[in-house]
Amino acid sequence: MACKDHINSCVKLLLLSVVLCAARASADRTKTLDFDVKPGGVVQTFSAKLKKYKCTFRYACQGGTNEQWQMSVGLSDDDQMFSCSVWRPQGKSYLFFTQFKAEIKGAKIEYATAYSQTAVGGQRDVALKEEEYSVSESSVTHREGTFHSELSKLTVIGRTRHDEL
């Protein structure tokens, strides 16, 4: 198995465990909110907060009509990991995104990926190419000139910052 395949398998296993943990988590450890992604070319913002952690999704897009999306934020049982997922539950978005940025506060990003299509109705997740977006310690952002304007899901997992005594 190639190194990249092994890393991808590990990442998928980690994501699965985060999702399963979130499903078992109490209401104070996870939150899912519905929001509309609105075309029109104007930068829009949607945020969710969980305890002292926050996820903000900024975007601008064109075409079509509003699409219903969701944002989920979660905190691991040991308060060490904060996750944020933004996605279109119906699968592939038909909007033309001109920009996007997902930012987390209170945690340092350890893993992030963006998708042009989500796994719905027999379809599979289709990740954006790595050159289409960049990841920093606190955000995931489109790359001008290489982002192909397709976005259906963003997943960000960060390690929380704890003050040592």
Side-chain angles (χ1 to χ4, degrees):
M1 179 182 288
C3 182
K4 187 174 181 177
D5 290 338
H6 181 70
I7 290 171
N8 285 338
S9 295
C10 290
V11 167
K12 287 178 184 177
L13 184 59
L14 173 65
L15 284 174
L16 179 60
S17 65
V18 167
V19 169
L20 292 174
C21 287
R24 292 193 325 255
S26 61
D28 65 333
R29 297 224 164 260
T30 184
K31 182 191 302 185
T32 300
L33 302 167
D34 294 326
F35 69 101
D36 284 335
V37 168
K38 302 170 188 170
V42 177
V43 175
Q44 304 282 337
T45 302
F46 186 81
S47 297
K49 191 172 183 181
L50 188 63
K51 296 189 178 186
K52 62 182 180 179
Y53 308 102
K54 184 177 182 180
C55 180
T56 301
F57 176 55
R58 287 182 188 82
Y59 68 90
C61 61
Q62 296 282 356
T65 58
N66 292 0
E67 290 181 346
Q68 186 177 16
W69 282 51
Q70 292 183 326
M71 177 184 282
S72 287
V73 289
L75 191 59
S76 63
D77 288 340
D78 62 2
D79 287 352
Q80 295 290 309
M81 304 300 279
F82 175 68
S83 65
C84 175
S85 293
V86 179
W87 76 98
R88 182 168 192 253
Q90 294 80 14
K92 187 170 181 61
S93 173
Y94 295 98
L95 298 173
F96 181 88
F97 283 83
T98 56
Q99 61 179 281
F100 73 84
K101 181 177 186 177
E103 184 174 22
I104 60 173
K105 295 214 170 152
K108 179 181 173 185
I109 294 176
E110 292 206 347
Y111 171 81
T113 194
Y115 300 88
S116 61
Q117 176 179 297
T118 60
V120 172
Q123 299 294 318
R124 62 181 180 85
D125 281 344
V126 177
L128 296 183
K129 294 178 181 161
E130 289 182 19
E131 62 265 16
E132 291 188 72
Y133 63 98
S134 61
V135 180
S136 71
E137 287 188 359
S138 62
S139 67
V140 180
T141 309
H142 77 285
R143 279 201 176 132
E144 289 275 342
T146 59
F147 173 53
H148 294 292
S149 303
E150 294 181 293
L151 184 68
S152 293
K153 180 167 80 171
L154 283 167
T155 301
V156 180
I157 300 172
R159 183 166 301 280
T160 60
R161 297 179 177 133
H162 288 286
D163 295 329
E164 297 296 324
L165 298 176

